[in-house]
PDB file of all heavy atoms in Angstrom:
ATOM      1  N   SER A   1     -67.566 -76.951-285.285  1.00 92.00           N
ATOM      2  CA  SER A   1     -67.921 -78.376-285.286  1.00 92.00           C
ATOM      3  C   SER A   1     -67.379 -78.965-283.827  1.00 92.00           C
ATOM      4  O   SER A   1     -66.495 -78.435-283.263  1.00 92.00           O
ATOM      5  CB  SER A   1     -67.367 -79.204-286.397  1.00 92.00           C
ATOM      6  OG  SER A   1     -66.034 -79.024-286.489  1.00 92.00           O
ATOM      7  N   ILE A   2     -67.927 -80.057-283.458  1.00 93.00           N
ATOM      8  CA  ILE A   2     -67.530 -80.641-282.185  1.00 93.00           C
ATOM      9  C   ILE A   2     -66.416 -81.749-282.506  1.00 93.00           C
ATOM     10  O   ILE A   2     -66.617 -82.606-283.301  1.00 93.00           O
ATOM     11  CB  ILE A   2     -68.687 -81.313-281.496  1.00 93.00           C
ATOM     12  CG1 ILE A   2     -69.775 -80.273-281.196  1.00 93.00           C
ATOM     13  CG2 ILE A   2     -68.229 -81.938-280.217  1.00 93.00           C
ATOM     14  CD1 ILE A   2     -69.331 -79.099-280.441  1.00 93.00           C
ATOM     15  N   LEU A   3     -65.233 -81.622-281.863  1.00 94.00           N
ATOM     16  CA  LEU A   3     -64.206 -82.503-281.966  1.00 94.00           C
ATOM     17  C   LEU A   3     -64.569 -83.719-281.023  1.00 94.00           C
ATOM     18  O   LEU A   3     -65.264 -84.733-281.342  1.00 94.00           O
ATOM     19  CB  LEU A   3     -62.844 -81.954-281.474  1.00 94.00           C
ATOM     20  CG  LEU A   3     -62.363 -80.755-282.329  1.00 94.00           C
ATOM     21  CD1 LEU A   3     -61.134 -80.118-281.724  1.00 94.00           C
ATOM     22  CD2 LEU A   3     -62.238 -81.119-283.844  1.00 94.00           C
ATOM     23  N   ASN A   4     -64.166 -83.658-279.748  1.00 95.00           N
ATOM     24  CA  ASN A   4     -64.677 -84.687-278.701  1.00 95.00           C
ATOM     25  C   ASN A   4     -65.230 -83.853-277.608  1.00 95.00           C
ATOM     26  O   ASN A   4     -64.628 -82.992-276.931  1.00 95.00           O
ATOM     27  CB  ASN A   4     -63.398 -85.376-278.147  1.00 95.00           C
ATOM     28  CG  ASN A   4     -62.723 -86.273-279.293  1.00 95.00           C
ATOM     29  OD1 ASN A   4     -63.118 -87.382-279.555  1.00 95.00           O
ATOM     30  ND2 ASN A   4     -61.564 -85.701-279.713  1.00 95.00           N
ATOM     31  N   ASN A   5     -66.615 -84.088-277.537  1.00 96.00           N
ATOM     32  CA  ASN A   5     -67.316 -83.150-276.544  1.00 96.00           C
ATOM     33  C   ASN A   5     -66.923 -83.403-275.121  1.00 96.00           C
ATOM     34  O   ASN A   5     -66.724 -84.479-274.635  1.00 96.00           O
ATOM     35  CB  ASN A   5     -68.869 -83.510-276.636  1.00 96.00           C
ATOM     36  CG  ASN A   5     -69.683 -82.596-275.620  1.00 96.00           C
ATOM     37  OD1 ASN A   5     -69.675 -81.427-275.772  1.00 96.00           O
ATOM     38  ND2 ASN A   5     -70.195 -83.302-274.620  1.00 96.00           N
ATOM     39  N   VAL A   6     -66.548 -82.165-274.410  1.00 97.00           N
ATOM     40  CA  VAL A   6     -66.051 -82.317-273.107  1.00 97.00           C
ATOM     41  C   VAL A   6     -67.093 -82.048-272.080  1.00 97.00           C
ATOM     42  O   VAL A   6     -67.283 -82.808-270.994  1.00 97.00           O
ATOM     43  CB  VAL A   6     -64.920 -81.303-272.816  1.00 97.00           C
ATOM     44  CG1 VAL A   6     -64.525 -81.175-271.417  1.00 97.00           C
ATOM     45  CG2 VAL A   6     -63.694 -81.627-273.751  1.00 97.00           C
ATOM     46  N   SER A   7     -67.930 -81.067-272.350  1.00 96.00           N
ATOM     47  CA  SER A   7     -68.876 -80.603-271.238  1.00 96.00           C
ATOM     48  C   SER A   7     -70.338 -80.857-271.698  1.00 96.00           C
ATOM     49  O   SER A   7     -70.756 -80.565-272.770  1.00 96.00           O
ATOM     50  CB  SER A   7     -68.775 -79.102-270.960  1.00 96.00           C
ATOM     51  OG  SER A   7     -67.478 -78.951-270.475  1.00 96.00           O
ATOM     52  N   THR A   8     -71.085 -81.508-270.811  1.00 97.00           N
ATOM     53  CA  THR A   8     -72.489 -81.826-270.901  1.00 97.00           C
ATOM     54  C   THR A   8     -73.182 -81.229-269.728  1.00 97.00           C
ATOM     55  O   THR A   8     -73.087 -81.610-268.684  1.00 97.00           O
ATOM     56  CB  THR A   8     -72.697 -83.330-271.141  1.00 97.00           C
ATOM     57  OG1 THR A   8     -72.022 -83.876-272.213  1.00 97.00           O
ATOM     58  CG2 THR A   8     -74.250 -83.624-271.199  1.00 97.00           C
ATOM     59  N   LEU A   9     -74.245 -80.291-270.034  1.00 97.00           N
ATOM     60  CA  LEU A   9     -75.147 -79.754-269.084  1.00 97.00           C
ATOM     61  C   LEU A   9     -76.391 -80.469-268.922  1.00 97.00           C
ATOM     62  O   LEU A   9     -76.998 -80.582-269.941  1.00 97.00           O
ATOM     63  CB  LEU A   9     -75.279 -78.291-269.358  1.00 97.00           C
ATOM     64  CG  LEU A   9     -76.074 -77.408-268.399  1.00 97.00           C
ATOM     65  CD1 LEU A   9     -75.374 -77.376-266.980  1.00 97.00           C
ATOM     66  CD2 LEU A   9     -76.221 -76.021-268.895  1.00 97.00           C
ATOM     67  N   LYS A  10     -76.570 -81.045-267.810  1.00 95.00           N
ATOM     68  CA  LYS A  10     -77.839 -81.957-267.627  1.00 95.00           C
ATOM     69  C   LYS A  10     -78.601 -81.459-266.415  1.00 95.00           C
ATOM     70  O   LYS A  10     -78.064 -80.838-265.387  1.00 95.00           O
ATOM     71  CB  LYS A  10     -77.313 -83.318-267.384  1.00 95.00           C
ATOM     72  CG  LYS A  10     -76.594 -83.943-268.560  1.00 95.00           C
ATOM     73  CD  LYS A  10     -75.967 -85.168-268.130  1.00 95.00           C
ATOM     74  CE  LYS A  10     -76.986 -86.269-267.864  1.00 95.00           C
ATOM     75  NZ  LYS A  10     -76.278 -87.589-267.527  1.00 95.00           N
ATOM     76  N   THR A  11     -79.821 -81.678-266.477  1.00 95.00           N
ATOM     77  CA  THR A  11     -80.760 -81.465-265.235  1.00 95.00           C
ATOM     78  C   THR A  11     -81.804 -82.658-265.268  1.00 95.00           C
ATOM     79  O   THR A  11     -81.774 -83.567-265.982  1.00 95.00           O
ATOM     80  CB  THR A  11     -81.270 -80.125-265.162  1.00 95.00           C
ATOM     81  OG1 THR A  11     -81.917 -79.796-264.037  1.00 95.00           O
ATOM     82  CG2 THR A  11     -82.213 -79.966-266.400  1.00 95.00           C
ATOM     83  N   THR A  12     -82.709 -82.466-264.380  1.00 93.00           N
ATOM     84  CA  THR A  12     -83.822 -83.453-264.185  1.00 93.00           C
ATOM     85  C   THR A  12     -85.282 -82.878-264.210  1.00 93.00           C
ATOM     86  O   THR A  12     -85.326 -81.604-263.929  1.00 93.00           O
ATOM     87  CB  THR A  12     -83.593 -84.384-262.936  1.00 93.00           C
ATOM     88  OG1 THR A  12     -83.672 -83.411-261.812  1.00 93.00           O
ATOM     89  CG2 THR A  12     -82.383 -85.097-262.914  1.00 93.00           C
ATOM     90  N   ILE A  13     -86.190 -83.615-264.479  1.00 94.00           N
ATOM     91  CA  ILE A  13     -87.646 -83.184-264.463  1.00 94.00           C
ATOM     92  C   ILE A  13     -88.044 -83.138-262.954  1.00 94.00           C
ATOM     93  O   ILE A  13     -88.039 -84.163-262.279  1.00 94.00           O
ATOM     94  CB  ILE A  13     -88.482 -83.974-265.385  1.00 94.00           C
ATOM     95  CG1 ILE A  13     -88.099 -83.899-266.915  1.00 94.00           C
ATOM     96  CG2 ILE A  13     -90.014 -83.552-265.128  1.00 94.00           C
ATOM     97  CD1 ILE A  13     -88.879 -84.687-267.779  1.00 94.00           C
ATOM     98  N   LEU A  14     -88.419 -81.958-262.621  1.00 93.00           N
ATOM     99  CA  LEU A  14     -88.991 -81.878-261.185  1.00 93.00           C
ATOM    100  C   LEU A  14     -90.468 -82.230-261.163  1.00 93.00           C
ATOM    101  O   LEU A  14     -90.844 -82.982-260.177  1.00 93.00           O
ATOM    102  CB  LEU A  14     -88.815 -80.360-260.706  1.00 93.00           C
ATOM    103  CG  LEU A  14     -87.443 -80.025-260.351  1.00 93.00           C
ATOM    104  CD1 LEU A  14     -87.433 -78.596-259.854  1.00 93.00           C
ATOM    105  CD2 LEU A  14     -86.705 -80.780-259.400  1.00 93.00           C
ATOM    106  N   GLN A  15     -91.153 -81.843-262.061  1.00 95.00           N
ATOM    107  CA  GLN A  15     -92.665 -82.033-261.951  1.00 95.00           C
ATOM    108  C   GLN A  15     -93.240 -81.853-263.371  1.00 95.00           C
ATOM    109  O   GLN A  15     -92.787 -81.133-264.300  1.00 95.00           O
ATOM    110  CB  GLN A  15     -93.287 -80.905-261.094  1.00 95.00           C
ATOM    111  CG  GLN A  15     -94.815 -81.105-260.788  1.00 95.00           C
ATOM    112  CD  GLN A  15     -95.427 -79.882-260.058  1.00 95.00           C
ATOM    113  OE1 GLN A  15     -94.978 -78.810-260.143  1.00 95.00           O
ATOM    114  NE2 GLN A  15     -96.141 -80.367-259.080  1.00 95.00           N
ATOM    115  N   ILE A  16     -94.356 -82.720-263.616  1.00 97.00           N
ATOM    116  CA  ILE A  16     -94.983 -82.513-264.925  1.00 97.00           C
ATOM    117  C   ILE A  16     -96.526 -82.260-264.610  1.00 97.00           C
ATOM    118  O   ILE A  16     -97.078 -82.881-263.688  1.00 97.00           O
ATOM    119  CB  ILE A  16     -94.934 -83.859-265.790  1.00 97.00           C
ATOM    120  CG1 ILE A  16     -93.341 -84.237-266.130  1.00 97.00           C
ATOM    121  CG2 ILE A  16     -95.770 -83.745-267.087  1.00 97.00           C
ATOM    122  CD1 ILE A  16     -93.178 -85.466-266.630  1.00 97.00           C
ATOM    123  N   ARG A  17     -97.093 -81.299-265.309  1.00 96.00           N
ATOM    124  CA  ARG A  17     -98.496 -81.070-265.211  1.00 96.00           C
ATOM    125  C   ARG A  17     -99.167 -80.852-266.563  1.00 96.00           C
ATOM    126  O   ARG A  17     -98.507 -80.470-267.415  1.00 96.00           O
ATOM    127  CB  ARG A  17     -98.761 -79.818-264.361  1.00 96.00           C
ATOM    128  CG  ARG A  17     -98.214 -78.511-264.898  1.00 96.00           C
ATOM    129  CD  ARG A  17     -98.714 -77.375-264.184  1.00 96.00           C
ATOM    130  NE  ARG A  17     -97.937 -77.252-262.876  1.00 96.00           N
ATOM    131  CZ  ARG A  17     -98.491 -77.399-261.625  1.00 96.00           C
ATOM    132  NH1 ARG A  17     -99.713 -77.618-261.435  1.00 96.00           N
ATOM    133  NH2 ARG A  17     -97.844 -77.274-260.532  1.00 96.00           N
ATOM    134  N   ASP A  18    -100.431 -81.144-266.511  1.00 96.00           N
ATOM    135  CA  ASP A  18    -101.305 -81.016-267.761  1.00 96.00           C
ATOM    136  C   ASP A  18    -101.803 -79.566-267.744  1.00 96.00           C
ATOM    137  O   ASP A  18    -102.418 -79.157-266.761  1.00 96.00           O
ATOM    138  CB  ASP A  18    -102.394 -82.048-267.797  1.00 96.00           C
ATOM    139  CG  ASP A  18    -101.858 -83.397-267.976  1.00 96.00           C
ATOM    140  OD1 ASP A  18    -101.005 -83.543-268.963  1.00 96.00           O
ATOM    141  OD2 ASP A  18    -102.261 -84.229-267.295  1.00 96.00           O
ATOM    142  N   VAL A  19    -101.654 -78.812-268.738  1.00 96.00           N
ATOM    143  CA  VAL A  19    -102.167 -77.358-268.769  1.00 96.00           C
ATOM    144  C   VAL A  19    -103.100 -77.210-269.931  1.00 96.00           C
ATOM    145  O   VAL A  19    -102.683 -77.605-271.158  1.00 96.00           O
ATOM    146  CB  VAL A  19    -100.891 -76.422-268.945  1.00 96.00           C
ATOM    147  CG1 VAL A  19    -101.364 -75.017-269.005  1.00 96.00           C
ATOM    148  CG2 VAL A  19     -99.877 -76.696-267.893  1.00 96.00           C
ATOM    149  N   PRO A  20    -104.295 -76.673-269.785  1.00 96.00           N
ATOM    150  CA  PRO A  20    -105.289 -76.616-270.836  1.00 96.00           C
ATOM    151  C   PRO A  20    -104.762 -75.427-271.899  1.00 96.00           C
ATOM    152  O   PRO A  20    -103.983 -74.626-271.573  1.00 96.00           O
ATOM    153  CB  PRO A  20    -106.485 -76.179-270.166  1.00 96.00           C
ATOM    154  CG  PRO A  20    -106.050 -75.631-268.900  1.00 96.00           C
ATOM    155  CD  PRO A  20    -104.819 -76.405-268.494  1.00 96.00           C
ATOM    156  N   GLU A  21    -105.267 -75.672-273.052  1.00 93.00           N
ATOM    157  CA  GLU A  21    -104.972 -74.689-274.160  1.00 93.00           C
ATOM    158  C   GLU A  21    -105.135 -73.119-273.874  1.00 93.00           C
ATOM    159  O   GLU A  21    -104.403 -72.432-274.273  1.00 93.00           O
ATOM    160  CB  GLU A  21    -105.701 -75.089-275.387  1.00 93.00           C
ATOM    161  CG  GLU A  21    -105.268 -74.304-276.667  1.00 93.00           C
ATOM    162  CD  GLU A  21    -106.153 -74.603-277.873  1.00 93.00           C
ATOM    163  OE1 GLU A  21    -106.827 -75.636-277.818  1.00 93.00           O
ATOM    164  OE2 GLU A  21    -106.021 -73.937-278.907  1.00 93.00           O
ATOM    165  N   GLU A  22    -106.160 -72.987-273.066  1.00 90.00           N
ATOM    166  CA  GLU A  22    -106.474 -71.554-272.901  1.00 90.00           C
ATOM    167  C   GLU A  22    -105.590 -70.893-271.838  1.00 90.00           C
ATOM    168  O   GLU A  22    -105.602 -69.752-271.704  1.00 90.00           O
ATOM    169  CB  GLU A  22    -107.904 -71.436-272.508  1.00 90.00           C
ATOM    170  CG  GLU A  22    -108.228 -72.113-271.215  1.00 90.00           C
ATOM    171  CD  GLU A  22    -108.827 -73.512-271.457  1.00 90.00           C
ATOM    172  OE1 GLU A  22    -108.543 -74.044-272.555  1.00 90.00           O
ATOM    173  OE2 GLU A  22    -109.355 -74.152-270.480  1.00 90.00           O
ATOM    174  N   ASP A  23    -104.794 -71.699-271.033  1.00 94.00           N
ATOM    175  CA  ASP A  23    -103.950 -71.178-270.167  1.00 94.00           C
ATOM    176  C   ASP A  23    -102.506 -70.683-270.658  1.00 94.00           C
ATOM    177  O   ASP A  23    -102.148 -71.010-271.789  1.00 94.00           O
ATOM    178  CB  ASP A  23    -103.694 -72.146-269.066  1.00 94.00           C
ATOM    179  CG  ASP A  23    -104.790 -72.153-267.996  1.00 94.00           C
ATOM    180  OD1 ASP A  23    -105.752 -71.661-268.261  1.00 94.00           O
ATOM    181  OD2 ASP A  23    -104.784 -72.932-266.997  1.00 94.00           O
ATOM    182  N   THR A  24    -101.840 -70.007-269.837  1.00 94.00           N
ATOM    183  CA  THR A  24    -100.369 -69.682-270.219  1.00 94.00           C
ATOM    184  C   THR A  24     -99.400 -70.169-269.196  1.00 94.00           C
ATOM    185  O   THR A  24     -99.753 -70.616-268.184  1.00 94.00           O
ATOM    186  CB  THR A  24    -100.222 -68.093-270.266  1.00 94.00           C
ATOM    187  OG1 THR A  24    -100.618 -67.525-268.966  1.00 94.00           O
ATOM    188  CG2 THR A  24    -101.117 -67.515-271.340  1.00 94.00           C
ATOM    189  N   VAL A  25     -98.077 -70.181-269.523  1.00 95.00           N
ATOM    190  CA  VAL A  25     -97.027 -70.735-268.839  1.00 95.00           C
ATOM    191  C   VAL A  25     -95.997 -69.522-268.435  1.00 95.00           C
ATOM    192  O   VAL A  25     -95.535 -68.863-269.489  1.00 95.00           O
ATOM    193  CB  VAL A  25     -96.325 -71.898-269.375  1.00 95.00           C
ATOM    194  CG1 VAL A  25     -95.204 -72.336-268.582  1.00 95.00           C
ATOM    195  CG2 VAL A  25     -97.497 -72.976-269.773  1.00 95.00           C
ATOM    196  N   GLY A  26     -95.701 -69.468-267.248  1.00 93.00           N
ATOM    197  CA  GLY A  26     -94.535 -68.506-266.773  1.00 93.00           C
ATOM    198  C   GLY A  26     -94.899 -67.166-266.555  1.00 93.00           C
ATOM    199  O   GLY A  26     -96.046 -66.711-266.698  1.00 93.00           O
ATOM    200  N   TYR A  27     -93.807 -66.446-266.169  1.00 92.00           N
ATOM    201  CA  TYR A  27     -93.992 -64.960-265.985  1.00 92.00           C
ATOM    202  C   TYR A  27     -94.489 -64.095-267.060  1.00 92.00           C
ATOM    203  O   TYR A  27     -94.214 -64.461-268.377  1.00 92.00           O
ATOM    204  CB  TYR A  27     -92.552 -64.348-265.569  1.00 92.00           C
ATOM    205  CG  TYR A  27     -92.176 -64.726-264.125  1.00 92.00           C
ATOM    206  CD1 TYR A  27     -90.995 -65.297-263.928  1.00 92.00           C
ATOM    207  CD2 TYR A  27     -92.885 -64.209-263.157  1.00 92.00           C
ATOM    208  CE1 TYR A  27     -90.562 -65.526-262.592  1.00 92.00           C
ATOM    209  CE2 TYR A  27     -92.478 -64.457-261.734  1.00 92.00           C
ATOM    210  CZ  TYR A  27     -91.316 -65.068-261.529  1.00 92.00           C
ATOM    211  OH  TYR A  27     -90.969 -65.293-260.234  1.00 92.00           O
ATOM    212  N   SER A  28     -95.190 -63.175-266.777  1.00 93.00           N
ATOM    213  CA  SER A  28     -95.800 -62.219-267.763  1.00 93.00           C
ATOM    214  C   SER A  28     -96.745 -62.903-268.836  1.00 93.00           C
ATOM    215  O   SER A  28     -96.993 -62.318-269.890  1.00 93.00           O
ATOM    216  CB  SER A  28     -94.610 -61.468-268.634  1.00 93.00           C
ATOM    217  OG  SER A  28     -93.848 -60.784-267.640  1.00 93.00           O
ATOM    218  N   ARG A  29     -97.039 -64.117-268.428  1.00 92.00           N
ATOM    219  CA  ARG A  29     -97.962 -65.070-269.402  1.00 92.00           C
ATOM    220  C   ARG A  29     -97.511 -64.956-270.821  1.00 92.00           C
ATOM    221  O   ARG A  29     -98.209 -64.939-271.780  1.00 92.00           O
ATOM    222  CB  ARG A  29     -99.374 -64.373-269.355  1.00 92.00           C
ATOM    223  CG  ARG A  29    -100.034 -64.185-268.001  1.00 92.00           C
ATOM    224  CD  ARG A  29    -101.546 -64.097-268.009  1.00 92.00           C
ATOM    225  NE  ARG A  29    -102.123 -65.307-268.414  1.00 92.00           N
ATOM    226  CZ  ARG A  29    -103.438 -65.420-268.670  1.00 92.00           C
ATOM    227  NH1 ARG A  29    -104.197 -64.398-268.676  1.00 92.00           N
ATOM    228  NH2 ARG A  29    -103.939 -66.657-269.106  1.00 92.00           N
ATOM    229  N   LYS A  30     -96.151 -65.181-270.881  1.00 93.00           N
ATOM    230  CA  LYS A  30     -95.564 -65.278-272.204  1.00 93.00           C
ATOM    231  C   LYS A  30     -95.618 -66.573-272.896  1.00 93.00           C
ATOM    232  O   LYS A  30     -95.454 -66.753-274.136  1.00 93.00           O
ATOM    233  CB  LYS A  30     -94.085 -64.871-272.044  1.00 93.00           C
ATOM    234  CG  LYS A  30     -93.781 -63.391-271.923  1.00 93.00           C
ATOM    235  CD  LYS A  30     -94.206 -62.650-273.014  1.00 93.00           C
ATOM    236  CE  LYS A  30     -93.850 -61.079-272.836  1.00 93.00           C
ATOM    237  NZ  LYS A  30     -92.499 -60.794-272.877  1.00 93.00           N
ATOM    238  N   GLY A  31     -95.904 -67.632-272.129  1.00 92.00           N
ATOM    239  CA  GLY A  31     -95.947 -68.960-272.582  1.00 92.00           C
ATOM    240  C   GLY A  31     -97.304 -69.361-273.123  1.00 92.00           C
ATOM    241  O   GLY A  31     -98.217 -69.963-272.588  1.00 92.00           O
ATOM    242  N   HIS A  32     -97.612 -68.950-274.408  1.00 93.00           N
ATOM    243  CA  HIS A  32     -98.952 -69.176-274.978  1.00 93.00           C
ATOM    244  C   HIS A  32     -98.965 -70.786-275.553  1.00 93.00           C
ATOM    245  O   HIS A  32     -98.084 -71.048-276.328  1.00 93.00           O
ATOM    246  CB  HIS A  32     -99.287 -68.195-276.081  1.00 93.00           C
ATOM    247  CG  HIS A  32     -99.383 -66.838-275.539  1.00 93.00           C
ATOM    248  ND1 HIS A  32    -100.520 -66.398-274.807  1.00 93.00           N
ATOM    249  CD2 HIS A  32     -98.549 -65.770-275.538  1.00 93.00           C
ATOM    250  CE1 HIS A  32    -100.314 -65.131-274.397  1.00 93.00           C
ATOM    251  NE2 HIS A  32     -99.091 -64.794-274.842  1.00 93.00           N
ATOM    252  N   LEU A  33     -99.984 -71.378-275.289  1.00 94.00           N
ATOM    253  CA  LEU A  33    -100.074 -72.875-275.888  1.00 94.00           C
ATOM    254  C   LEU A  33    -101.051 -72.891-276.914  1.00 94.00           C
ATOM    255  O   LEU A  33    -102.108 -72.207-277.016  1.00 94.00           O
ATOM    256  CB  LEU A  33    -100.639 -73.722-274.635  1.00 94.00           C
ATOM    257  CG  LEU A  33     -99.795 -73.660-273.273  1.00 94.00           C
ATOM    258  CD1 LEU A  33    -100.367 -74.584-272.244  1.00 94.00           C
ATOM    259  CD2 LEU A  33     -98.335 -74.110-273.583  1.00 94.00           C
ATOM    260  N   ALA A  34    -100.738 -73.740-277.866  1.00 92.00           N
ATOM    261  CA  ALA A  34    -101.446 -73.942-279.085  1.00 92.00           C
ATOM    262  C   ALA A  34    -102.344 -75.203-278.984  1.00 92.00           C
ATOM    263  O   ALA A  34    -103.105 -75.412-279.866  1.00 92.00           O
ATOM    264  CB  ALA A  34    -100.651 -74.069-280.363  1.00 92.00           C
ATOM    265  N   ARG A  35    -102.203 -75.896-277.846  1.00 95.00           N
ATOM    266  CA  ARG A  35    -102.959 -77.072-277.610  1.00 95.00           C
ATOM    267  C   ARG A  35    -102.833 -77.485-276.203  1.00 95.00           C
ATOM    268  O   ARG A  35    -102.053 -76.941-275.463  1.00 95.00           O
ATOM    269  CB  ARG A  35    -102.371 -78.230-278.583  1.00 95.00           C
ATOM    270  CG  ARG A  35    -100.967 -78.449-278.136  1.00 95.00           C
ATOM    271  CD  ARG A  35    -100.318 -79.643-278.940  1.00 95.00           C
ATOM    272  NE  ARG A  35     -98.891 -79.776-278.547  1.00 95.00           N
ATOM    273  CZ  ARG A  35     -98.132 -80.854-278.880  1.00 95.00           C
ATOM    274  NH1 ARG A  35     -98.582 -81.719-279.764  1.00 95.00           N
ATOM    275  NH2 ARG A  35     -96.864 -80.811-278.576  1.00 95.00           N
ATOM    276  N   PRO A  36    -103.736 -78.310-275.641  1.00 96.00           N
ATOM    277  CA  PRO A  36    -103.597 -78.833-274.346  1.00 96.00           C
ATOM    278  C   PRO A  36    -102.195 -79.559-274.210  1.00 96.00           C
ATOM    279  O   PRO A  36    -101.800 -80.293-275.113  1.00 96.00           O
ATOM    280  CB  PRO A  36    -104.754 -79.869-274.163  1.00 96.00           C
ATOM    281  CG  PRO A  36    -105.704 -79.443-275.235  1.00 96.00           C
ATOM    282  CD  PRO A  36    -104.947 -78.946-276.440  1.00 96.00           C
ATOM    283  N   SER A  37    -101.399 -79.225-273.225  1.00 96.00           N
ATOM    284  CA  SER A  37    -100.002 -79.647-273.217  1.00 96.00           C
ATOM    285  C   SER A  37     -99.636 -80.200-271.904  1.00 96.00           C
ATOM    286  O   SER A  37    -100.198 -79.916-270.893  1.00 96.00           O
ATOM    287  CB  SER A  37     -99.113 -78.387-273.442  1.00 96.00           C
ATOM    288  OG  SER A  37     -99.499 -77.850-274.659  1.00 96.00           O
ATOM    289  N   ARG A  38     -98.461 -81.075-271.884  1.00 97.00           N
ATOM    290  CA  ARG A  38     -97.820 -81.545-270.726  1.00 97.00           C
ATOM    291  C   ARG A  38     -96.725 -80.661-270.592  1.00 97.00           C
ATOM    292  O   ARG A  38     -95.735 -80.555-271.458  1.00 97.00           O
ATOM    293  CB  ARG A  38     -97.443 -83.039-270.911  1.00 97.00           C
ATOM    294  CG  ARG A  38     -98.694 -83.944-270.954  1.00 97.00           C
ATOM    295  CD  ARG A  38     -98.084 -85.399-271.075  1.00 97.00           C
ATOM    296  NE  ARG A  38     -97.533 -85.908-269.816  1.00 97.00           N
ATOM    297  CZ  ARG A  38     -96.535 -86.638-269.640  1.00 97.00           C
ATOM    298  NH1 ARG A  38     -95.696 -86.798-270.735  1.00 97.00           N
ATOM    299  NH2 ARG A  38     -95.973 -87.009-268.534  1.00 97.00           N
ATOM    300  N   ILE A  39     -96.578 -80.093-269.486  1.00 97.00           N
ATOM    301  CA  ILE A  39     -95.473 -79.077-269.291  1.00 97.00           C
ATOM    302  C   ILE A  39     -94.644 -79.545-268.066  1.00 97.00           C
ATOM    303  O   ILE A  39     -95.164 -79.920-267.034  1.00 97.00           O
ATOM    304  CB  ILE A  39     -95.944 -77.636-268.959  1.00 97.00           C
ATOM    305  CG1 ILE A  39     -96.868 -77.133-270.101  1.00 97.00           C
ATOM    306  CG2 ILE A  39     -94.729 -76.619-268.671  1.00 97.00           C
ATOM    307  CD1 ILE A  39     -96.201 -77.001-271.452  1.00 97.00           C
ATOM    308  N   ALA A  40     -93.316 -79.698-268.287  1.00 97.00           N
ATOM    309  CA  ALA A  40     -92.430 -80.090-267.279  1.00 97.00           C
ATOM    310  C   ALA A  40     -91.581 -79.028-266.780  1.00 97.00           C
ATOM    311  O   ALA A  40     -91.106 -78.078-267.491  1.00 97.00           O
ATOM    312  CB  ALA A  40     -91.414 -81.151-267.867  1.00 97.00           C
ATOM    313  N   ALA A  41     -91.433 -78.867-265.478  1.00 97.00           N
ATOM    314  CA  ALA A  41     -90.511 -77.921-264.838  1.00 97.00           C
ATOM    315  C   ALA A  41     -89.208 -78.590-264.533  1.00 97.00           C
ATOM    316  O   ALA A  41     -89.119 -79.690-264.014  1.00 97.00           O
ATOM    317  CB  ALA A  41     -91.153 -77.364-263.488  1.00 97.00           C
ATOM    318  N   ILE A  42     -88.100 -77.938-264.880  1.00 96.00           N
ATOM    319  CA  ILE A  42     -86.812 -78.362-264.744  1.00 96.00           C
ATOM    320  C   ILE A  42     -85.852 -77.324-263.867  1.00 96.00           C
ATOM    321  O   ILE A  42     -86.029 -76.184-263.985  1.00 96.00           O
ATOM    322  CB  ILE A  42     -85.949 -78.737-266.049  1.00 96.00           C
ATOM    323  CG1 ILE A  42     -85.967 -77.596-266.985  1.00 96.00           C
ATOM    324  CG2 ILE A  42     -86.707 -79.881-266.703  1.00 96.00           C
ATOM    325  CD1 ILE A  42     -85.190 -77.817-268.216  1.00 96.00           C
TER     326      ILE A  42
END
């Protein structure tokens, strides 16, 4: 359990794109989409 949280890892959204359902995301086409999606790169 968390007592008093000390470390927080944060980043920011670089880019957002709309990706159709039939496309994949990332290396080796592992990111299969079940619907048209908004995908953010961080």
Side-chain angles (χ1 to χ4, degrees):
S1 61
I2 304 301
L3 301 173
N4 297 281
N5 180 61
V6 173
S7 297
T8 297
L9 184 59
K10 298 168 66 175
T11 188
T12 56
I13 294 177
L14 292 179
Q15 186 179 42
I16 300 176
R17 67 171 71 245
D18 294 312
V19 181
E21 180 181 354
E22 61 271 16
D23 280 7
T24 57
V25 175
Y27 281 123
S28 303
R29 305 201 69 190
K30 288 292 183 70
H32 297 282
L33 303 177
R35 57 179 179 172
S37 303
R38 292 180 75 223
I39 302 299
I42 58 177

